[in-house]
Amino acid sequence: MELFTNQVLAGIATGAIYACMALAVVMIYQAIDHLNFAQGEMAMFSTFIAWQLMQWGVPYWGAFLLTLAFSFAGGIAIERLLFKPLAKAPILTNVAGFIALYAIINSFAGLIWDFTIKQFPTPFGSSPFLGSQLISTHQAGMIGVTMILLVLLFFFFRFTRIGLAMRAAAAMPESARLVGINTSWMIALGWGMAAAIGSIAGMMIAPVVFLEPNMMLGVLIYGFAAAVLGGLTSPFGAVVGGFLVGIFENLAGTYIPGIGNELKLPIALALIIVVLVVKPAGLFGRPIVKRV
Amino acid sequence: MTAMLNVRDLRAYYGQVQALHGLEFDLNEGSLTTLLGANGAGKTTTLRAICNMVRSTGSIEFEGKPLSGRSTENIVRLGIAHVPQGRGTFTTMTVEENLQLGAITRKDSAAIVSDIERMYDHFPVLKQRHTQQAGTLSGGEQQMLAVARALMLRPRLMLLDEPSFGLAPLIVRDLFRILSKINREDKVSILVVEQNAQLALELADKAYVIETGRIVMSGSASEIANNEDVRKSYLGY
Ligand SMILES: Nc1ncnc2c1ncn2[C@@H]1O[C@H](COP(=O)(O)OP(=O)(O)O)[C@@H](O)[C@H]1O
Ligand SMILES: [Mg+2]
């Protein structure tokens, strides 16, 4: 029983990262109906920016905020330059765009900062949390940050006019234009917010996995799994999905013989496929209705 | 005096298919004008062309400003509210959020609050259901909501695409009575396209008849209502 509790707690801790990543995935999916395969690389690049700022002597929280601002602007720029022109293009063209973006960001990061792993600091320290050996203060901080993010997003979408406009633009673009909403800018804003959220995920995970250009590969797949499980249209679902995937990953690694660390990724992929077959809208998503 | 809305030589296209063939009409400020036509005549396309939602050529001027080259949202911001065919309800949002979305371009938040109350006076059923998801409303209620949402813009001109479609006759009569009141009291000019000609002609001051993308007849609503051909084709007596 003790082992089980430990694994669930550890799963919640890693799940916080997936939850963060899934939030970013859902933000873009809401805006453009596509999964952004380059989301992880964008987060990685943002994390390098934070690292670089700290190398230059900027204190942690200053670097954190500057990175948020940079990522927000960068997300908007990517949408304006690359994906706005592709808005009416077929799905495959968009997928090609995401893959190109993935490759470009990955090699740029390698070029600028090379592929050796780097230490990334945590603002929460890494001592045992509340004297418990189960999770560290960093992991507790990560869970807290994810929760704060979710609450902020909830208030933003529920109680602000710009949040309302973004929801309207995502749900019914034509009607949104007819009430005067600039839907194209709402999409750009969604990209900016997703990039900023992704950068938080990157900065939270970097102290755990070390900073290097390929650090987000696995995380993004878990983020996708979390988003699909929770429902691609629900930020709340994305967070719940993130925690569930984290727990599931840890329990499977512990109790199913032969899974170990190598097989954890295929488990995430299998989870995506099972959810898509059994409950395509996810646990909390709106059922997808195709208009004819 | 030049008209509030001035449409000249309007041609509209869906891919290679031409749907409007040099359509021309005017709408005077304060008027309630109706555009009548059978299914497929080009009524919806005309309204969509005004809001730049379909590829078109020709000239459309609103209060002296050409609309060509403007995006849909910019045209709406000039004060043109469009209640589209199918109503365009934000089905996953509440009734009140729908009304707030109607006023999303406005900055005067105090006036928005009082306008929402005014809409609840016009349409009491919306007040009863203000926290309900708009998609769960009946067809008639959704049409009321669509009109209320459009009015939240405080438009100068309101475009309505077959508001009577799918509604019971009594509800249609109710709706048109409210439209006519809004037209008189709030000084909102209205262009309503309809297949259901009878009620529209009772309330409008001016009418046009559209056939296969062209205006084939125009005049005061009473002239059109008394026209032999119109009575045969659109009024059924
Ligand atoms: N999306 C579309 N694609 C191709 N043709 C269309 C489309 N929408 C309308 N049309 C054609 O344009 C013409 C006018 O249609 P419409 O404006 O919808 O008529 P109405 O609203 O008067 O019923 C019709 O011949 C119709 O078949
Ligand atoms: Mg029509």
Side-chain angles (χ1 to χ4, degrees):
Chain A
M1 196 59 211
E2 167 114 21
L3 179 67
F4 179 81
T5 324
N6 287 2
Q7 289 303 323
V8 168
L9 266 174
I12 290 176
T14 33
I17 301 168
Y18 306 151
C20 234
M21 214 52 222
L23 270 178
V25 167
V26 165
M27 288 293 306
I28 289 205
Y29 185 83
Q30 289 266 56
I32 61 173
D33 278 347
H34 294 304
L35 293 175
N36 176 6
F37 300 112
Q39 192 99 60
E41 301 313 284
M42 289 165 61
M44 172 275 294
F45 198 89
S46 297
T47 311
F48 265 112
I49 297 285
W51 179 83
Q52 186 67 67
L53 287 169
M54 284 185 262
Q55 291 297 302
W56 288 336
V58 183
Y60 184 91
W61 289 111
F64 183 91
L65 289 178
L66 283 174
T67 300
L68 280 194
F70 166 86
S71 307
F72 182 75
I76 288 180
I78 289 174
E79 196 277 336
R80 291 285 98 173
L81 295 174
L82 192 56
F83 289 98
K84 183 172 177 245
L86 292 183
K88 293 204 171 66
I91 292 181
L92 272 182
T93 315
N94 272 282
V95 171
F98 288 124
I99 292 173
L101 185 62
Y102 179 104
I104 291 169
I105 297 180
N106 189 281
S107 25
F108 251 99
L111 200 67
I112 304 174
W113 292 291
D114 72 54
F115 285 87
T116 57
I117 59 170
K118 294 173 173 60
Q119 296 273 359
F120 194 90
T122 166
F124 307 112
S126 44
S127 43
F129 179 61
L130 298 178
S132 139
Q133 297 301 321
L134 298 177
I135 65 173
S136 68
T137 45
H138 175 73
Q139 288 172 316
M142 232 157 48
I143 297 172
V145 166
T146 306
M147 289 313 195
I148 290 171
L149 211 53
L150 181 64
V151 170
L152 287 179
L153 280 178
F154 174 81
F155 277 93
F156 174 78
F157 281 115
R158 185 54 56 91
F159 296 115
T160 72
R161 280 157 59 86
I162 187 97
L164 181 64
M166 282 179 76
R167 277 197 288 146
M172 307 199 62
E174 185 154 281
S175 293
R177 278 192 285 278
L178 282 181
V179 294
I181 295 170
N182 187 333
T183 50
S184 159
W185 267 105
M186 293 300 122
I187 291 173
L189 204 55
W191 271 82
M193 290 176 63
I197 294 169
S199 78
I200 296 179
M203 289 185 279
M204 290 296 123
I205 191 179
V208 182
V209 299
F210 297 111
L211 178 58
E212 53 104 5
N214 295 317
M215 71 181 224
M216 294 302 281
L217 181 60
V219 177
L220 181 64
I221 293 179
Y222 281 109
F224 280 162
V228 169
L229 176 62
L232 280 164
T233 51
S234 160
F236 173 74
V239 168
V240 174
F243 288 124
L244 288 179
V245 168
I247 294 170
F248 180 69
E249 174 202 11
N250 269 283
L251 292 181
T254 312
Y255 290 107
I256 304 178
I259 283 201
N261 272 329
E262 299 73 31
L263 279 178
K264 278 182 173 180
L265 265 189
I267 287 220
L269 293 172
L271 186 66
I272 293 180
I273 292 164
V274 168
V275 173
L276 285 179
V277 170
V278 176
K279 200 165 185 313
L283 296 175
F284 301 96
R286 259 179 284 116
I288 299 143
V289 187
K290 280 268 176 256
R291 259 158 298 185
V292 283
Chain B
M1 191 190 95
T2 53
M4 176 185 235
L5 182 73
N6 212 295
V7 177
R8 291 289 170 271
D9 196 27
L10 182 63
R11 294 157 198 275
Y13 305 85
Y14 293 100
Q16 297 297 311
V17 182
Q18 186 170 355
L20 300 181
H21 304 266
L23 196 90
E24 313 215 330
F25 71 94
D26 295 322
L27 180 144
N28 289 324
E29 180 154 9
S31 159
L32 198 167
T33 296
T34 181
L35 206 62
L36 304 173
N39 197 11
K43 304 181 298 295
T44 296
T45 307
T46 304
L47 296 194
R48 290 176 66 86
I50 293 173
C51 290
N52 196 5
M53 297 164 79
V54 53
R55 190 166 63 85
S56 67
T57 64
S59 119
I60 304 173
E61 275 186 10
F62 174 67
E63 299 188 319
K65 292 186 272 290
L67 297 188
S68 73
R70 281 178 200 264
S71 66
T72 301
E73 56 268 23
N74 280 334
I75 291 169
V76 171
R77 282 159 187 258
L78 291 176
I80 301 181
H82 184 161
V83 179
Q85 185 164 294
R87 307 178 187 119
T89 309
F90 296 96
T91 48
T92 55
M93 304 197 193
T94 67
V95 167
E96 188 139 329
E97 283 175 332
N98 270 266
L99 295 180
Q100 271 159 359
L101 280 166
I104 200 88
T105 58
R106 291 169 51 186
K107 304 273 181 282
D108 46 346
S109 40
I112 291 174
V113 173
S114 68
D115 276 4
I116 289 183
E117 284 310 315
R118 239 162 39 87
M119 291 309 136
Y120 290 155
D121 289 344
H122 275 311
F123 308 101
V125 61
L126 297 184
K127 187 178 178 97
Q128 289 164 29
R129 306 197 183 283
H130 73 282
T131 57
Q132 204 167 314
Q133 272 214 351
T136 64
L137 299 186
S138 72
E141 290 161 352
Q142 283 198 34
Q143 191 65 57
M144 308 278 172
L145 178 59
V147 171
R149 188 186 70 221
L151 286 172
M152 287 301 296
L153 180 73
R154 289 211 176 160
R156 313 259 305 120
L157 170 65
M158 186 152 80
L159 312 175
L160 292 140
D161 198 338
E162 296 204 42
S164 72
F165 188 83
L167 302 188
L170 268 180
I171 294 175
V172 174
R173 192 158 281 283
D174 226 29
L175 181 69
F176 273 76
R177 188 180 46 71
I178 294 168
L179 287 177
S180 150
K181 184 170 156 208
I182 288 162
N183 173 244
R184 273 178 286 112
E185 293 177 4
D186 299 343
K187 311 262 181 305
V188 180
S189 310
I190 296 179
L191 176 63
V192 53
V193 312
E194 268 295 352
Q195 266 187 83
N196 178 350
Q198 187 162 359
L199 252 180
L201 283 172
E202 272 176 39
L203 293 168
D205 44 68
K206 187 143 188 212
Y208 293 88
V209 177
I210 174 172
E211 266 171 28
T212 54
R214 289 179 189 82
I215 299 290
V216 293
M217 208 181 294
S218 70
S220 72
S222 52
E223 276 165 29
I224 298 286
N226 291 319
N227 181 288
E228 195 72 15
D229 294 338
V230 172
R231 283 172 40 175
K232 276 201 203 104
S233 320
Y234 298 101
L235 300 173
Y237 56 86

